[in-house]
Amino acid sequence: MHLTHLSLVDFRSYPSLDLTLGPGVTTLVGRNGQGKTNLIEAIGYVATLASHRVSADAPLVREGASHAVLRARIVRGDRAALVELEIVPGRANRARLNRAPVSRPRDVLGLLCTVLFAPEDLALVKGDPAGRRQFLDELLVARTPRMAAVLADYDRVLKQRSTLLRTAGAARRSGGKGDLRTLDVWDGYLASYGAELLAARLALVEALRPGVARAYAAVAGTQAQVGFEYRASVPPPQQGPVLPDGQVLPDGQVWPDRQVWEEAIRTELVAARPREVERGQTLVGPHRDDLLLTVDGRPARGYASHGESWSLALALRLASFELLRADDREPVLLLDDVFAELDAGRRSRLAELVAPAEQVLVTAAVEADVPAELAGTCFVVAAGEVRRVS
Ligand SMILES: Nc1ncnc2c1ncn2[C@@H]1O[C@H](COP(=O)(O)OP(=O)(O)OP(=O)(O)O)[C@@H](O)[C@H]1O
Ligand SMILES: [Mg+2]
């Protein structure tokens, strides 16, 4: 797929912008602070309904404006779709598809599929588990848009259950009993949605692993062994038919499957309840899981060098690209400022790996940082104006 038009109104630094794009490589060159990342962020937002830089919507709306509008025309094969989003801070977004309102913004997820490479990706390797969970969850939704509903359900249950635990915990601490009658019902929901999410993440990790190792070797140009393991906060279930962990089942799930995990989460919730009430938090479930990344057996977080960490972050994105392509989703690749960080060898190896994509958008402060393999249409971004120069 590829984008043919992007238009922005009051998004970040852009009062208004209309951009015509084509397949192949497009580079956006401009000095610092001119609005290159803002463009990439806007495209990423159309694909995921989230920014890769901020979690709240307020910074996305131009200072002094009340709301922002994003419009993107997406072509996939011989079909085109026009997605329009209105971002109003503090309120739910509104979305339209081919000029008709949709009931929920998330109904437009899946129409545009992107893989975004950005300096922020270093946090995937060096940062907190939350970033790695988000990486997995965004890829789950990109592959299977229906997963957005599971994630939303899980989040809602988690919030409500945690509120209940907090109120009950506070009541107990002040000498009352604390009403925990509805907690069993929430446990059931948490286990059910949680197991669906957990099983999906495990299957995704299995599917990604070979690509991550391959991409790391290709980018880094070394034979280092890269490890990529999901770490569930719930102990892996011990019972049931004995299959090797990680075995892919005929329905595409990975052993242990969703039902087994649901039981495991329920059991763990029972054991954790006194601690949960005491702390007023949900201590069990996929919101506490992590993805362990290793290079030559050592945890990347804490051990890997800067260059190794970068190569690993790039490998995660490249493997996502490969997987989405294999699913026949052909994502648009967005490379924000990634070449400046790499030495010449890594630059040209990365360029070779991304060049076959149907559409690639590359930003750089200095044109010379963009490898020759990625010569294409060039725009200059200056003071919020985007001008085609070749
Ligand atoms: N909500 C907003 N309203 C107005 N301006 C904003 C808003 N959010 C960001 N900006 C401004 O947008 C400008 C461009 O930001 P952007 O991150 O796109 O720059 P860039 O071209 O990617 O620069 P760099 O090369 O340093 O990465 C910044 O000067 C920033 O202050
Ligand atoms: Mg930038």
Side-chain angles (χ1 to χ4, degrees):
M1 69 177 70
H2 65 273
L3 284 166
T4 58
H5 289 97
L6 176 72
S7 88
L8 308 178
V9 178
D10 291 331
F11 182 84
R12 289 279 197 187
S13 54
Y14 291 98
S16 108
L17 177 81
D18 271 297
L19 201 59
T20 302
L21 297 162
V25 181
T26 299
T27 49
L28 299 154
V29 178
R31 292 198 330 248
N32 296 139
Q34 301 300 304
K36 303 179 298 293
T37 303
N38 293 348
L39 274 178
I40 297 291
E41 186 179 37
I43 299 172
Y45 197 97
V46 175
T48 61
L49 299 179
S51 153
H52 70 289
R53 294 198 283 190
V54 287
S55 53
D57 280 341
L60 303 179
V61 176
R62 194 169 65 89
E63 235 165 24
S66 60
H67 63 282
V69 178
L70 313 178
R71 271 188 205 94
R73 188 167 175 277
I74 303 145
V75 170
R76 187 174 180 195
D78 53 7
R79 300 177 61 170
L82 178 69
V83 174
E84 295 171 275
L85 296 173
E86 190 182 298
I87 304 175
V88 193
R91 294 232 304 269
N93 290 347
R94 273 199 292 256
R96 299 202 303 166
L97 173 58
N98 298 329
R99 308 208 180 273
V102 294
S103 45
R104 281 169 315 207
R106 71 168 188 253
D107 294 341
V108 303
L109 286 170
L111 288 161
L112 176 63
C113 181
T114 57
V115 175
L116 199 162
F117 299 66
E120 286 78 5
D121 290 346
L122 204 51
L124 287 179
V125 180
K126 292 181 180 268
D128 293 335
R132 288 181 286 279
R133 290 193 296 265
Q134 193 184 345
F135 162 74
L136 292 176
D137 293 345
E138 277 184 2
L139 188 53
L140 279 179
V141 174
R143 292 186 82 194
T144 319
R146 189 188 62 79
M147 283 307 294
V150 176
L151 281 162
D153 285 339
Y154 184 76
D155 267 359
R156 183 175 44 82
V157 169
L158 182 62
K159 281 203 184 82
Q160 302 204 3
R161 190 178 180 278
S162 302
T163 306
L164 186 67
L165 283 168
R166 251 194 321 278
T167 350
R172 289 199 173 186
R173 277 191 296 280
S174 53
K177 273 186 66 169
D179 187 2
L180 289 172
R181 276 170 302 181
T182 51
L183 202 58
D184 289 342
V185 180
W186 290 114
D187 284 9
Y189 287 130
L190 191 93
S192 162
Y193 296 132
E196 187 166 2
L197 178 55
L198 187 49
R201 283 189 189 160
L202 284 162
L204 177 62
V205 167
E206 291 300 318
L208 264 180
R209 187 180 296 114
V212 173
R214 230 182 354 256
Y216 185 86
V219 173
T222 68
Q223 291 305 312
Q225 289 293 313
V226 171
F228 183 71
E229 296 295 334
Y230 193 79
R231 286 280 182 264
S233 57
V234 173
Q238 302 293 330
Q239 296 152 10
V242 182
L243 287 171
D245 281 4
Q247 173 148 338
V248 180
L249 305 174
D251 62 357
Q253 290 199 68
V254 166
W255 185 259
D257 68 2
R258 179 181 160 184
Q259 272 167 337
V260 178
W261 280 111
E262 184 168 338
E263 214 32 62
I265 296 175
R266 272 180 203 276
T267 310
E268 197 62 14
L269 282 170
V270 171
R273 188 172 288 189
R275 274 184 297 133
E276 290 196 321
V277 174
E278 194 185 303
R279 298 192 25 199
Q281 277 177 18
T282 296
L283 301 173
V284 176
H287 63 291
R288 300 182 60 97
D289 295 354
D290 198 359
L291 184 63
L292 180 67
L293 302 168
T294 56
V295 178
D296 282 337
R298 288 181 292 276
R301 190 187 184 193
Y303 287 89
S305 75
H306 183 73
E308 286 170 338
S309 302
W310 241 117
S311 298
L312 195 49
L314 291 172
L316 295 178
R317 297 299 181 192
L318 284 165
S320 308
F321 167 46
E322 197 184 304
L323 196 61
L324 289 164
R325 266 196 128 179
D327 289 346
D328 209 15
R329 300 201 60 83
E330 188 58 46
V332 174
L333 298 190
L334 307 170
L335 278 71
D336 186 26
D337 232 352
V338 295
F339 291 106
E341 290 274 350
L342 302 171
D343 59 32
R346 285 176 202 222
R347 264 184 205 184
S348 66
R349 284 194 294 273
L350 177 62
E352 263 169 46
L353 293 166
V354 299
E358 184 173 324
Q359 188 174 43
V360 191
L361 272 75
V362 183
T363 78
V366 184
E367 200 176 355
D369 282 348
V370 182
E373 293 90 330
L374 291 180
T377 308
C378 183
F379 289 90
V380 167
V381 184
E385 299 243 328
V386 184
R387 195 165 41 87
R388 185 169 170 167
V389 289
S390 69

